């Protein structure tokens, strides 16, 4: 630093017109300038304060019967944009017009992608890439003054906006955009929500919204030190569906050897833990584990009225053939 000051002094001696303003800067001047500032919160270069910057709204949208309403004509136009091979396009068109079988009756279809078809997910993803992704990136984001993001997986997507008016404008435009391509927005499942670190202070009653996405419920929360964080929990709807699936599976495998049943059950549990086992969701894993533990006991006791399985004998069985316990597999807060 001393060398820098010396070089500045040397340059000042060479140039007579070079002046310094540093002698005007002192503690008293800084205090006076600070007192003259507006008492309200500081604003950015565009005159927007911190509160406005922190609106943070999300659009949680759902497309009604998406896979049943994919328009074949539009899909082929999208595919022709990137695929030049006419023979390949002709095969895809035949696949789309293959029709469906329902109650042993054949039905022709000029829309939708055949259920169970190997390329159905790919075709549907291409369809939404042009209908939603490119439109959001090329049109919506350029019209927004604040930040705007979209996260989509298949037909499930969530959009986040910095400003409330831009989120509401997108919600209205989305309905017209989907209608253009013969899709419909499910209004009873779609909504605009406040989400982010400033959601609570913008809420009338101090309550914040949550939303479900990809099997998780995302919640505005706080860390142990009181800092804002997003909490992720297993969706109640998905958890109930998982419980029902396990119950039905146990009933179907009630007559197998308990050790074999537990071995197969553990594979299903590990798969569940690997998907839902993310930071902060141990409680959700534990709830599912406890349910499976009790459901297995009830299933085994119904095998025979003569050989009733007591809880003590059940615990002895689990000591020899334990049920896979919950485990966090992914630390989502760890830096990549």
């Amino acid at each position: 630093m001393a060398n820098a000051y010396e070089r500045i002094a040397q340059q000042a001696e060479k140039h007579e017109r070079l002046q310094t303003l540093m002698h005007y800067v002192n503690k008293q001047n800084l205090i006076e300038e600070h007192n003259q500032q507006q008492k309200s919160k500081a604003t950015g270069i565009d005159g927007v304060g911190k509160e406005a910057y922190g609106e943070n709204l999300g659009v949680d949208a759902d497309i009604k019967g998406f896979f049943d309403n994919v328009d074949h004509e539009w899909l082929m136009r999208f595919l022709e944009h990137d695929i030049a091979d006419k023979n390949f396009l002709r095969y895809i068109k035949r696949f789309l017009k293959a029709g469906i079988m329902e109650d042993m009756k054949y039905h022709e279809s000029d829309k939708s992608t055949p259920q169970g078809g190997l390329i159905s997910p790919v075709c549907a993803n291409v369809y939404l890439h042009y209908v939603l992704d490119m439109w959001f990136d090329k049109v919506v984001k350029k019209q927004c003054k604040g930040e705007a993001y979209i996260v989509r997986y298949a037909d499930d997507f969530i959009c986040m906006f910095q400003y409330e008016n831009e989120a509401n404008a997108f919600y209205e435009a989305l309905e017209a955009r989907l209608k253009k391509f013969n899709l419909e927005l499910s209004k009873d499942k779609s909504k605009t929500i406040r989400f982010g670190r400033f959601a609570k202070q913008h809420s009338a009653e101090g309550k914040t919204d949550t939303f479900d996405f990809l099997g998780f419920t995302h919640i505005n929360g706080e860390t142990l030190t009181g800092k804002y964080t997003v909490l992720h929990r297993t969706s109640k709807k998905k958890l109930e569906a998982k419980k029902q699936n396990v119950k039905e599976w146990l009933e179907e495998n009630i007559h197998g050897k308990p050790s074999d049943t537990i071995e197969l059950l553990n594979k299903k549990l590990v798969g569940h833990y690997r998907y839902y086992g993310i930071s902060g969701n141990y409680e959700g894993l534990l709830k599912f584990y406890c349910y499976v533990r009790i459901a297995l006991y009830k299933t085994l006791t119904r095998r025979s009225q003569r050989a009733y399985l007591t809880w003590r004998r059940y615990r002895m069985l689990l000591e020899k053939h334990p049920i896979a316990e919950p485990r966090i597999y992914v630390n989502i807060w760890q830096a990549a």
Side-chain angles (χ1 to χ4, degrees), residues 1 84 133 144 160 190 232 328:
M1 183 62 70
D133 298 350
C144 294
M160 300 300 296
S190 304
H232 311 276
I328 299 298

Side-chain angles (χ1 to χ4, degrees), residues 63-328:
I63 301 176
K64 183 183 295 184
F66 168 67
F67 288 93
D68 296 329
N69 293 285
V70 174
D71 187 274
H72 291 177
E73 184 178 349
W74 274 112
L75 177 58
M76 293 308 300
R77 290 174 64 180
F78 295 150
L79 292 172
E80 289 171 359
H81 185 269
D82 296 313
I83 301 175
D85 191 338
K86 300 297 182 181
N87 292 327
F88 187 66
L89 291 171
R90 186 164 59 250
Y91 284 129
I92 296 177
K93 195 169 185 178
R94 289 177 182 176
F95 170 84
L96 294 174
K97 294 185 177 297
I100 58 175
M101 290 290 291
E102 187 175 2
D103 297 330
M104 300 305 294
K105 293 182 179 180
Y106 173 77
H107 300 275
E108 293 185 354
S109 177
D110 59 348
K111 61 180 182 179
S112 82
T113 56
Q115 294 183 358
L118 296 177
I119 67 171
S120 290
V122 178
C123 291
N125 194 55
V126 170
Y127 198 83
L128 276 185
H129 172 71
Y130 283 95
V131 173
L132 192 61
D133 298 350
M134 292 191 66
W135 171 64
F136 190 90
D137 187 55
K138 302 295 183 181
V139 179
V140 176
K141 291 186 72 173
K142 291 184 178 180
Q143 295 176 350
C144 294
K145 293 183 178 179
E147 297 183 47
Y149 302 95
I150 182 173
V151 180
R152 182 180 67 83
Y153 184 85
D155 62 327
D156 197 4
F157 65 96
I158 181 77
C159 302
M160 300 300 296
F161 294 88
Q162 188 172 351
Y163 300 133
E164 181 177 3
N165 62 326
E166 293 176 353
N168 294 331
F170 169 76
Y171 186 86
E172 295 178 0
L174 178 62
E175 186 175 1
R177 176 68 178 181
L178 295 177
K179 187 176 181 180
K180 177 181 178 180
F181 298 95
N182 299 324
L183 298 175
E184 184 179 357
L185 190 66
S186 180
K187 294 185 177 181
D188 56 331
K189 296 182 180 179
S190 304
K191 58 183 177 179
T192 303
I193 59 174
R194 291 191 178 277
F195 199 88
R197 65 178 66 251
F198 302 106
K200 190 173 183 179
Q201 70 185 53
H202 284 93
S203 176
E205 300 178 357
K207 297 181 179 180
T208 58
D209 297 319
T210 64
F211 67 92
D212 289 355
F213 186 61
L214 299 182
F216 289 92
T217 299
H218 305 273
I219 309 166
N220 291 297
E222 293 182 351
T223 63
L224 296 177
T225 57
K227 295 182 179 180
Y228 173 81
T229 187
V230 179
L231 304 177
H232 311 276
R233 299 287 185 267
T234 306
S235 169
K236 291 182 179 180
K237 182 180 179 180
K238 294 295 183 181
L239 183 59
E240 291 302 319
K242 288 284 186 178
K243 289 180 178 179
Q244 184 63 30
N245 290 339
V246 168
K247 182 180 178 181
E248 294 175 357
W249 184 87
L250 288 173
E251 291 175 353
E252 294 173 358
N253 295 269
I254 190 173
H255 297 297
K257 290 178 60 178
S259 58
D260 294 339
T261 301
I262 293 175
E263 182 180 356
L264 294 174
L265 181 61
N266 283 341
K267 294 180 180 180
K268 296 180 178 294
L269 281 173
V270 171
H272 179 86
Y273 298 155
R274 284 188 177 275
Y275 183 82
Y276 290 99
I278 67 174
S279 306
N281 193 37
Y282 185 81
E283 182 180 348
L285 302 183
L286 188 61
K287 288 181 179 179
F288 188 61
Y289 167 80
C290 293
Y291 173 83
V292 170
R293 186 182 173 98
I294 296 175
L296 178 60
Y297 172 72
K298 291 181 178 179
T299 301
L300 293 176
T301 56
R302 287 197 293 267
R303 291 180 54 167
S304 174
Q305 294 181 354
R306 295 182 180 180
Y308 184 82
L309 182 66
T310 63
W311 185 257
R312 184 178 67 84
R313 291 183 60 189
Y314 179 61
R315 292 181 62 182
M316 293 174 62
L317 173 65
L318 295 185
E319 288 178 1
K320 190 175 182 180
H321 304 284
I323 298 176
E325 295 184 355
R327 175 185 168 187
I328 299 298

Side-chain angles (χ1 to χ4, degrees), residues 4-21:
Y5 285 142
E6 291 177 1
R7 288 197 297 270
I8 294 174
Q10 292 173 2
Q11 293 295 325
E13 292 177 357
K14 292 181 180 180
H15 304 280
E16 296 180 357
R17 295 184 179 181
L18 182 65
Q19 297 181 358
T20 176
L21 301 177

